[in-house]
Amino acid sequence: MNKKSTLLVTLLLIPALNHAQPASLKTPDIFKKFQKTVVQVRVLEKTTQIKSGVGSGFFISPQGHIATNYHVIAFLVQKPAEYKADIVFHDKTTAAATLLDFDVVHDLAILKTQSHQPNHFKLSPTSPAKGTRVFSMGNPHDLGFTIVEGTHSGFIEKSLTEKIHFTGSLNPGMSGGPALLRSGQVIGVNVATAGNQLSFLVPIKHLRKLHKQLTNKTTKTAPKLLTRLQTQLTQHQNNTIPT
């Protein structure tokens, strides 16, 4: 085949290739599509109803399971008789939530509401390549739900637990929110920031593991929360500190 024929075939194929590849969603489209799946998590003192902790969360199952950070709901573990959790939806309505399980080492927790949730995020089965565009959602400083663009910039090398470097501006209140691809699959959970586009995500594989353990439980009885907390910390210490 000569050069002219090759060029002609290439030009003829371009429209077909463009038609086969769906157009990427723009940031406003992503926010509009997924905002109902993100919630605000509030921890309240039972007697005074004063907010003691505020963060974000997101639905990960139709059964009403909500992922968030452990540090957002820590009082539910440390002082369960004194604190409770509420969920605030995108339309400002609220619902009570209960703590199902947590992973203190990776700063994750799973809550549950009683309502059925047809809209929920899917967790990515793999980690994206370094440089992939990522969109983080949450409720910064209790100002309302927002979306932040950034990139997956690889894993932090010197860290006791795995964390993803996210080049987006996370702010207090966004902890526990989802970091997702254009497809809507979640690749990480907002966890911390050091400012100046230096933010961190918990890799989604740790949330997948926690949720799988939860759904595979064959009994409704569980160790007391503080005992479970101590067990997780002890196991982590044994795994990281040589004996």
Side-chain angles (χ1 to χ4, degrees):
M1 184 179 293
N2 57 39
K3 291 183 179 180
K4 290 184 178 180
S5 299
T6 302
L7 178 61
L8 179 60
V9 171
T10 302
L11 291 174
L12 290 173
L13 283 174
I14 287 175
L17 290 172
N18 289 337
H19 180 73
Q21 297 175 351
S24 296
L25 290 175
K26 296 182 179 180
T27 308
D29 301 321
I30 295 172
F31 182 76
K32 183 178 180 181
K33 183 176 181 179
F34 298 111
Q35 63 175 325
K36 293 182 180 180
T37 319
V38 182
V39 297
Q40 184 184 51
V41 179
R42 302 188 307 182
V43 174
L44 308 173
E45 190 176 3
K46 290 181 180 180
T47 55
T48 64
Q49 300 298 305
I50 294 175
K51 286 187 288 187
S52 300
V54 178
S56 299
F58 56 101
F59 284 104
I60 58 174
S61 80
Q63 290 78 32
H65 294 161
I66 298 170
T68 188
N69 285 147
Y70 170 81
H71 75 258
V72 172
I73 54 84
F75 280 155
L76 299 183
V77 177
Q78 299 168 10
K79 300 179 180 180
E82 300 178 27
Y83 294 91
K84 66 176 183 176
D86 277 354
I87 300 301
V88 183
F89 299 90
H90 74 287
D91 60 0
K92 305 302 181 183
T93 58
T94 62
T98 55
L99 175 63
L100 294 183
D101 206 352
F102 60 88
D103 175 355
V104 65
V105 173
H106 297 103
D107 205 348
L108 296 171
I110 296 179
L111 306 174
K112 187 182 187 305
T113 61
Q114 295 301 318
S115 59
H116 181 76
Q117 294 296 329
N119 298 318
H120 61 279
F121 282 108
K122 294 182 179 180
L123 308 185
S124 176
T126 58
S127 181
K130 187 174 181 178
T132 300
R133 200 68 175 166
V134 175
F135 303 83
S136 171
M137 299 181 71
N139 195 326
H141 294 289
D142 203 9
L143 295 174
F145 294 101
T146 189
I147 186 168
V148 174
E149 291 188 53
T151 57
H152 182 302
S153 292
F155 293 89
I156 306 299
E157 294 183 1
K158 297 180 180 179
S159 177
L160 289 176
T161 59
E162 278 189 315
K163 289 184 178 66
I164 297 170
H165 174 202
F166 170 63
T167 59
S169 296
L170 298 184
N171 285 286
M174 294 185 72
S175 293
L180 55 143
L181 304 175
R182 293 185 188 276
S183 64
Q185 288 191 330
V186 179
I187 58 93
V189 181
N190 305 337
V191 70
T193 180
N196 297 321
Q197 308 293 332
L198 188 59
S199 301
F200 307 101
L201 311 172
V202 179
I204 205 62
K205 68 178 184 180
H206 299 297
L207 179 59
R208 285 203 313 270
K209 181 179 179 180
L210 181 62
H211 192 229
K212 184 178 179 180
Q213 290 174 347
L214 179 70
T215 55
N216 285 347
K217 283 182 178 178
T218 58
T219 175
K220 293 183 180 180
T221 60
K224 292 182 178 180
L225 295 176
L226 287 177
T227 301
R228 183 163 177 74
L229 176 65
Q230 182 180 8
T231 300
Q232 290 184 5
L233 291 173
T234 300
Q235 289 177 345
H236 179 63
Q237 177 178 299
N238 293 338
N239 291 335
T240 55
I241 300 177
T243 57

